[in-house]
Amino acid sequence: MSLGAIKRADPAQSWFGPGPELEAAEAGDAGESQFDTGSSLGGAWDAMQAESLHEGAEDSQFFFQQARRLVQAGGNAFSRLYRAFLAARAALGLVLVATQVIAGLLGAPPPRWTLGLCLLYAAEALALWLLPRLQRGATAKNLARISSPQWWASIGLDLGLFGLLHAFDRLAGVNYGALFVLPVLMAGVLTPRLLALATAAMAALLMLAVSGWAVLEGADVGLRMTQAGLVGSGFFVVSLLASELAGRLAREERAARGSMELARQQAQLNRLVIEEMQEGVLVVDRRGRVRAANPAARILLADGAPVAAAEAAPAGPAMVRKAPFRLRGVPAWQPLVASVEQAFVAGNWPELGRDVSLSFPSGWQRSLRLRMRFTRRRESHTTEDLCVLLIEDNRQVQARSQQEKLAAMGRVSAGIAHEIRNPLAAIDQANALLAEDTSGEPRAQQLTRMVASNVQRLKRIVEDVLEVAPGAVPTPTPVDASTLVNETCLDWARTNQLAPGPLDPLSCVVPLQPLVVSFDPEHLRRVLVNLLDNALRHADPGPASVQVLLEEEAAASGPGWARLVIFNAGRPIAPEVERHLFEPFFSTRSRGSGLGLYICRELCDRYGARIDVQRRHDPQLPGNEFVLRLRRVPPPSTPPAAFTPSPTNSR
């Protein structure tokens, strides 16, 4: 099909071919027709065409040419053969009429009853062939019964009318007995073998009866009976051969239908896989026309600036139109077109692909990793018609590579942390003993305190690494966030020796009623302590420079979310720093491990919570705040026993 022109897509196309539901057929025996017994002349084709339209209405893609020809041929083998025999009967009727007319013109006018029978037969055969409504019900199942009207309208009528012609002209020079071959052949192909042999027997008996009548009227008994016997035997041979050939054709058709069904199922599976792939897939010919494109490829070829600029995109990401479409003519796609042309000329492409940069009119730029695969190997006497383009956003490639590196680093770091823990404990114990032995030496005491300080720092790093190391994820439990946040803030203030009073830098506001969230208590405490340490470190001096706020978010339905805000007054975070805040081992301090905020994000991800950083534009006290959205759960039947926090606990 033409895949470059802007036109309506062929509705019978999909990724790998049309998908008409093929009927299952069992092998026939002597009592059944060789063909599908439930198919009709119009119903089978209508059903297949309707399903083909339904299957391929969503996309316009390339397809199997052989499959399409099979579907467009119309119906199954039985219906095609039945129509062929009807056409042969109509042609034979016209030939009989023409023969009678020509004989009359040559001076040998036929009897009127002979001409009348030929005209009657020609009219019936033409009507049955040209009027589809007369063909209704002509199925293999109906023709398998001698009592069916369809059998009498075709095979039965042929036997009777040809018998009359042969009987009335038994002494003339015209031998109408050869006409019996048509009904015998039709019965052998379209009816069960037993009925086909019965039809051949009827034709042979008619031949013998007419010959016997001729003998009674003085014909040579030996000649006429011998001819009738030989012709009758030929009818049986024709019937058996036709039945055998029809059976073989039916078996081949069933095998082809089975193969088509398997191919259709495989095509549907492949289509589902390709449509759901995160990697873009394009099928392009050497003229730059896209024959197939999955949704990921259509997103990568679209201008992403409008979506990137919007805070929310209810309609989903921008996508180019469905295939077919041309790559040429769009300035942003010219690097892609040049790469395709280069690949067709060279006949190969690097296995790992090459990078292509697309510049859109809006200023949006997208770097793509482009890999190509050809539909068949290039040979000296062939040309490459199609190639499959596998495209991927380089940002995703880099992100995946970074994730793999981080995962490998995490496993290595966890192993190193386990190995460091035991020697570190021995160093800590030895340093404590050394501090006892040198209690009266100030210089030695200073050194032991330095060792103890660095040992504690190493212990914290080891604990941080092990906290985010791969392992069993703990089961979240309902926890009263109001009580836990209040207790954690009090403990943290005492640990950092923050004296309560009007100049206290910490302000904690929690609701009076319990606020139950889904989180591990120790992990939630760890997240809060890390954020408090970070806030105090970067806060400007002054009262309430570090603020903690826990509140409930209104939800239309369900438990909703709880909002935990940790604020510190201070300067804005630099953009180059904000981009890397939650990355591991990133720190603005020389002695920082760079794991605090990374651990917070990892723990929030484990329990379905969200963490983000934003700027608070308050004229009186501007600063930065980390916002946690914790998933709420219904409170337990018996609330946890804990002290009731005050609505406002300002230290």
Side-chain angles (χ1 to χ4, degrees), residues 26 31 96 119 135 259 348 364-365 379 404 493 511 517 545 571 575 593 600:
E26 299 293 336
L96 287 175
L119 288 173
Q135 302 173 10
S259 300
N348 55 30
W364 178 265
Q365 292 188 349
E379 300 175 3
E404 293 174 356
V517 298
S545 59
R571 294 175 297 176
S593 65
C600 293

PDB file of all heavy atoms in Angstrom, residues 26 31 96 119 135 259 348 364-365 379 404 493 511 517 545 571 575 593 600:
ATOM      1  N   GLU A  26     -13.279 -29.749  11.328  1.00  0.00           N
ATOM      2  CA  GLU A  26     -12.805 -31.102  11.566  1.00  0.00           C
ATOM      3  C   GLU A  26     -12.682 -31.846  10.249  1.00  0.00           C
ATOM      4  O   GLU A  26     -13.323 -31.523   9.258  1.00  0.00           O
ATOM      5  CB  GLU A  26     -13.797 -31.849  12.479  1.00  0.00           C
ATOM      6  CG  GLU A  26     -13.975 -31.195  13.847  1.00  0.00           C
ATOM      7  CD  GLU A  26     -12.715 -31.279  14.676  1.00  0.00           C
ATOM      8  OE1 GLU A  26     -11.909 -32.196  14.413  1.00  0.00           O
ATOM      9  OE2 GLU A  26     -12.535 -30.442  15.560  1.00  0.00           O
ATOM     10  N   GLY A  31     -19.387 -39.817   5.713  1.00  0.00           N
ATOM     11  CA  GLY A  31     -20.733 -39.314   5.942  1.00  0.00           C
ATOM     12  C   GLY A  31     -20.818 -37.825   6.032  1.00  0.00           C
ATOM     13  O   GLY A  31     -21.876 -37.297   6.319  1.00  0.00           O
ATOM     14  N   LEU A  96     -26.169 -24.948 -24.800  1.00  0.00           N
ATOM     15  CA  LEU A  96     -27.242 -25.807 -25.300  1.00  0.00           C
ATOM     16  C   LEU A  96     -28.220 -25.015 -26.158  1.00  0.00           C
ATOM     17  O   LEU A  96     -28.642 -25.462 -27.245  1.00  0.00           O
ATOM     18  CB  LEU A  96     -27.967 -26.469 -24.130  1.00  0.00           C
ATOM     19  CG  LEU A  96     -27.210 -27.580 -23.397  1.00  0.00           C
ATOM     20  CD1 LEU A  96     -28.003 -28.053 -22.185  1.00  0.00           C
ATOM     21  CD2 LEU A  96     -26.937 -28.755 -24.336  1.00  0.00           C
ATOM     22  N   LEU A 119     -34.026 -24.079 -23.140  1.00  0.00           N
ATOM     23  CA  LEU A 119     -34.319 -22.725 -22.662  1.00  0.00           C
ATOM     24  C   LEU A 119     -34.651 -22.725 -21.168  1.00  0.00           C
ATOM     25  O   LEU A 119     -34.221 -21.834 -20.416  1.00  0.00           O
ATOM     26  CB  LEU A 119     -35.485 -22.137 -23.467  1.00  0.00           C
ATOM     27  CG  LEU A 119     -35.166 -21.751 -24.918  1.00  0.00           C
ATOM     28  CD1 LEU A 119     -36.446 -21.351 -25.645  1.00  0.00           C
ATOM     29  CD2 LEU A 119     -34.146 -20.619 -24.958  1.00  0.00           C
ATOM     30  N   GLN A 135     -29.258 -18.364  -3.690  1.00  0.00           N
ATOM     31  CA  GLN A 135     -28.145 -19.181  -3.204  1.00  0.00           C
ATOM     32  C   GLN A 135     -28.127 -19.307  -1.680  1.00  0.00           C
ATOM     33  O   GLN A 135     -27.265 -19.983  -1.132  1.00  0.00           O
ATOM     34  CB  GLN A 135     -26.814 -18.573  -3.667  1.00  0.00           C
ATOM     35  CG  GLN A 135     -26.693 -18.439  -5.177  1.00  0.00           C
ATOM     36  CD  GLN A 135     -25.440 -17.686  -5.588  1.00  0.00           C
ATOM     37  OE1 GLN A 135     -24.562 -17.428  -4.758  1.00  0.00           O
ATOM     38  NE2 GLN A 135     -25.348 -17.326  -6.866  1.00  0.00           N
ATOM     39  N   SER A 259      -2.928 -22.541  10.130  1.00  0.00           N
ATOM     40  CA  SER A 259      -1.719 -21.715  10.112  1.00  0.00           C
ATOM     41  C   SER A 259      -2.058 -20.237  10.205  1.00  0.00           C
ATOM     42  O   SER A 259      -1.372 -19.473  10.891  1.00  0.00           O
ATOM     43  CB  SER A 259      -0.926 -21.998   8.828  1.00  0.00           C
ATOM     44  OG  SER A 259      -0.546 -23.355   8.757  1.00  0.00           O
ATOM     45  N   ASN A 348      24.161  -0.810   6.140  1.00  0.00           N
ATOM     46  CA  ASN A 348      24.378  -1.266   7.513  1.00  0.00           C
ATOM     47  C   ASN A 348      24.298  -0.069   8.442  1.00  0.00           C
ATOM     48  O   ASN A 348      24.209   1.083   8.014  1.00  0.00           O
ATOM     49  CB  ASN A 348      25.731  -1.984   7.651  1.00  0.00           C
ATOM     50  CG  ASN A 348      26.885  -1.127   7.164  1.00  0.00           C
ATOM     51  OD1 ASN A 348      26.850   0.103   7.242  1.00  0.00           O
ATOM     52  ND2 ASN A 348      27.918  -1.765   6.634  1.00  0.00           N
ATOM     53  N   TRP A 364      12.409  23.521  21.550  1.00  0.00           N
ATOM     54  CA  TRP A 364      12.616  22.258  22.261  1.00  0.00           C
ATOM     55  C   TRP A 364      13.557  21.372  21.457  1.00  0.00           C
ATOM     56  O   TRP A 364      13.425  21.237  20.253  1.00  0.00           O
ATOM     57  CB  TRP A 364      11.276  21.565  22.462  1.00  0.00           C
ATOM     58  CG  TRP A 364      11.377  20.239  23.151  1.00  0.00           C
ATOM     59  CD1 TRP A 364      11.448  19.014  22.572  1.00  0.00           C
ATOM     60  CD2 TRP A 364      11.406  19.998  24.555  1.00  0.00           C
ATOM     61  NE1 TRP A 364      11.520  18.023  23.507  1.00  0.00           N
ATOM     62  CE2 TRP A 364      11.509  18.600  24.741  1.00  0.00           C
ATOM     63  CE3 TRP A 364      11.375  20.819  25.680  1.00  0.00           C
ATOM     64  CZ2 TRP A 364      11.561  18.022  26.006  1.00  0.00           C
ATOM     65  CZ3 TRP A 364      11.421  20.245  26.929  1.00  0.00           C
ATOM     66  CH2 TRP A 364      11.515  18.868  27.082  1.00  0.00           C
ATOM     67  N   GLN A 365      14.526  20.785  22.131  1.00  0.00           N
ATOM     68  CA  GLN A 365      15.478  19.883  21.503  1.00  0.00           C
ATOM     69  C   GLN A 365      15.402  18.518  22.172  1.00  0.00           C
ATOM     70  O   GLN A 365      15.195  18.433  23.390  1.00  0.00           O
ATOM     71  CB  GLN A 365      16.902  20.429  21.595  1.00  0.00           C
ATOM     72  CG  GLN A 365      17.127  21.672  20.751  1.00  0.00           C
ATOM     73  CD  GLN A 365      18.583  22.081  20.708  1.00  0.00           C
ATOM     74  OE1 GLN A 365      19.407  21.566  21.463  1.00  0.00           O
ATOM     75  NE2 GLN A 365      18.914  23.011  19.817  1.00  0.00           N
ATOM     76  N   GLU A 379      21.963  -8.265  -0.246  1.00  0.00           N
ATOM     77  CA  GLU A 379      22.721  -9.102  -1.165  1.00  0.00           C
ATOM     78  C   GLU A 379      22.995  -8.310  -2.435  1.00  0.00           C
ATOM     79  O   GLU A 379      22.430  -7.234  -2.673  1.00  0.00           O
ATOM     80  CB  GLU A 379      21.953 -10.389  -1.474  1.00  0.00           C
ATOM     81  CG  GLU A 379      21.680 -11.228  -0.216  1.00  0.00           C
ATOM     82  CD  GLU A 379      20.818 -12.439  -0.526  1.00  0.00           C
ATOM     83  OE1 GLU A 379      20.502 -12.615  -1.718  1.00  0.00           O
ATOM     84  OE2 GLU A 379      20.475 -13.177   0.404  1.00  0.00           O
ATOM     85  N   GLU A 404      21.570   1.788  36.864  1.00  0.00           N
ATOM     86  CA  GLU A 404      22.355   0.559  36.930  1.00  0.00           C
ATOM     87  C   GLU A 404      23.642   0.775  37.715  1.00  0.00           C
ATOM     88  O   GLU A 404      24.047  -0.077  38.519  1.00  0.00           O
ATOM     89  CB  GLU A 404      22.662   0.074  35.508  1.00  0.00           C
ATOM     90  CG  GLU A 404      21.425  -0.383  34.746  1.00  0.00           C
ATOM     91  CD  GLU A 404      21.733  -0.714  33.298  1.00  0.00           C
ATOM     92  OE1 GLU A 404      22.909  -0.507  32.895  1.00  0.00           O
ATOM     93  OE2 GLU A 404      20.832  -1.194  32.578  1.00  0.00           O
ATOM     94  N   ALA A 493      15.422  18.146  69.780  1.00  0.00           N
ATOM     95  CA  ALA A 493      15.795  19.411  70.413  1.00  0.00           C
ATOM     96  C   ALA A 493      16.708  19.179  71.604  1.00  0.00           C
ATOM     97  O   ALA A 493      17.689  19.911  71.810  1.00  0.00           O
ATOM     98  CB  ALA A 493      14.536  20.166  70.834  1.00  0.00           C
ATOM     99  N   PRO A 511      -1.512  18.410  64.806  1.00  0.00           N
ATOM    100  CA  PRO A 511      -2.935  18.433  65.171  1.00  0.00           C
ATOM    101  C   PRO A 511      -3.178  17.753  66.512  1.00  0.00           C
ATOM    102  O   PRO A 511      -2.391  16.916  66.967  1.00  0.00           O
ATOM    103  CB  PRO A 511      -3.603  17.682  64.022  1.00  0.00           C
ATOM    104  CG  PRO A 511      -2.537  16.823  63.453  1.00  0.00           C
ATOM    105  CD  PRO A 511      -1.254  17.567  63.641  1.00  0.00           C
ATOM    106  N   VAL A 517      -0.958   7.297  59.667  1.00  0.00           N
ATOM    107  CA  VAL A 517      -0.387   7.160  58.328  1.00  0.00           C
ATOM    108  C   VAL A 517       0.231   5.769  58.204  1.00  0.00           C
ATOM    109  O   VAL A 517       0.453   5.067  59.210  1.00  0.00           O
ATOM    110  CB  VAL A 517       0.678   8.242  58.054  1.00  0.00           C
ATOM    111  CG1 VAL A 517       0.069   9.631  58.119  1.00  0.00           C
ATOM    112  CG2 VAL A 517       1.845   8.121  59.015  1.00  0.00           C
ATOM    113  N   SER A 545      13.316  29.639  63.220  1.00  0.00           N
ATOM    114  CA  SER A 545      13.962  29.511  61.913  1.00  0.00           C
ATOM    115  C   SER A 545      13.812  28.103  61.347  1.00  0.00           C
ATOM    116  O   SER A 545      14.021  27.889  60.158  1.00  0.00           O
ATOM    117  CB  SER A 545      15.445  29.876  62.024  1.00  0.00           C
ATOM    118  OG  SER A 545      16.093  29.033  62.964  1.00  0.00           O
ATOM    119  N   ARG A 571      18.441  31.459  52.550  1.00  0.00           N
ATOM    120  CA  ARG A 571      18.549  31.833  51.149  1.00  0.00           C
ATOM    121  C   ARG A 571      18.000  30.716  50.253  1.00  0.00           C
ATOM    122  O   ARG A 571      17.949  29.557  50.649  1.00  0.00           O
ATOM    123  CB  ARG A 571      20.008  32.118  50.797  1.00  0.00           C
ATOM    124  CG  ARG A 571      20.589  33.340  51.516  1.00  0.00           C
ATOM    125  CD  ARG A 571      22.068  33.475  51.207  1.00  0.00           C
ATOM    126  NE  ARG A 571      22.811  32.313  51.703  1.00  0.00           N
ATOM    127  CZ  ARG A 571      24.112  32.135  51.498  1.00  0.00           C
ATOM    128  NH1 ARG A 571      24.798  33.022  50.792  1.00  0.00           N
ATOM    129  NH2 ARG A 571      24.718  31.073  51.989  1.00  0.00           N
ATOM    130  N   PRO A 575      19.931  26.642  41.751  1.00  0.00           N
ATOM    131  CA  PRO A 575      19.357  25.664  40.804  1.00  0.00           C
ATOM    132  C   PRO A 575      20.284  24.494  40.514  1.00  0.00           C
ATOM    133  O   PRO A 575      19.821  23.352  40.390  1.00  0.00           O
ATOM    134  CB  PRO A 575      19.092  26.503  39.543  1.00  0.00           C
ATOM    135  CG  PRO A 575      18.972  27.906  40.033  1.00  0.00           C
ATOM    136  CD  PRO A 575      19.907  28.005  41.201  1.00  0.00           C
ATOM    137  N   SER A 593      28.247  13.098  54.098  1.00  0.00           N
ATOM    138  CA  SER A 593      28.220  11.828  53.352  1.00  0.00           C
ATOM    139  C   SER A 593      27.385  11.917  52.078  1.00  0.00           C
ATOM    140  O   SER A 593      27.538  11.101  51.174  1.00  0.00           O
ATOM    141  CB  SER A 593      27.662  10.718  54.248  1.00  0.00           C
ATOM    142  OG  SER A 593      26.300  10.983  54.576  1.00  0.00           O
ATOM    143  N   CYS A 600      16.072   9.777  52.674  1.00  0.00           N
ATOM    144  CA  CYS A 600      14.692  10.234  52.865  1.00  0.00           C
ATOM    145  C   CYS A 600      13.821   9.879  51.661  1.00  0.00           C
ATOM    146  O   CYS A 600      12.698   9.389  51.814  1.00  0.00           O
ATOM    147  CB  CYS A 600      14.679  11.743  53.096  1.00  0.00           C
ATOM    148  SG  CYS A 600      15.448  12.262  54.648  1.00  0.00           S
TER     149      CYS A 600
END
